[in-house]
Amino acid sequence: DGGITQSPKYLFRKEGQNVTLSCEQNLNHDAMYWYRQDPGQGLRLIYYSQIVNDFQKGDIAEGYSVSREKKESFPLTVTSAQKNPTAFYLCASSMRSWGYTFGSGTRLTVV
Amino acid sequence: DQQVKQNSPSLSVQEGRISILNCDYTNSMFDYFLWYKKYPAEGPTFLISISSIKDKNEDGRFTVFLNKSAKHLSLHIVPSQPGDSAVYFCAASGIGGGADGLTFGKGTHLIIQP
């Protein structure tokens, strides 16, 4: 069964700590994306990668970092520099530009 | 500056009636438009899309209309069913497709009442 998997589903982080969200896809998609959703807000693009070993900043990249060492994996690190990290994080992948498949999301809460 | 706007945070429609969700955009470079449906604590799922060379696209109960001169698109759901209750996001991309990311609206929460 092809799909995109995000883990964990829920994550708690203490202030000042870095935390990494996992995103894995077995769809053989070239491009992968990270979005953030806040209550009453749309999805805002954090980072994206169109090919292995390359990635670009989205609209709200400050306080986040990513890597793309493998085609299947695009982990997102929320660093202590992110001022307001509590949010719902969504990973997506696509083969062609507009065929997005989303994961089920990770809800990050800072405690 | 919001480039994709969904001005109705919520919409309540009776089961069996038509649901009309609206979306406006400001960027004239947008070339492709999509609608996604999202349930709580889940990722969005693709619903229907339309290219700027068309003004209508239909898929079963779902039809999307595009008015380029007004920079407006709408999603019609006929007839509305209880399972349609969800948040609907309008999204747009430029000529290159969504390769550098889609721009999303804030969403409209559709509530189908029995």
Side-chain angles (χ1 to χ4, degrees), chain B residues 20-50:
Chain B
I20 301 176
L21 294 87
N22 294 304
C23 178
D24 297 294
Y25 61 96
T26 58
N27 189 339
S28 57
M29 299 302 290
F30 284 147
D31 193 57
Y32 198 77
F33 304 90
L34 309 92
W35 285 94
Y36 283 85
K37 176 180 179 179
K38 184 181 182 300
Y39 294 116
E42 293 184 10
T45 54
F46 171 76
L47 202 54
I48 193 169
S49 63
I50 188 167

Side-chain angles (χ1 to χ4, degrees), chain A residues 47-62:
Chain A
Y47 267 99
Y48 64 99
S49 167
Q50 297 180 12
I51 195 168
V52 175
N53 291 323
D54 188 44
F55 48 82
Q56 282 77 40
K57 292 181 179 180
D59 300 320
I60 54 166
E62 186 175 351

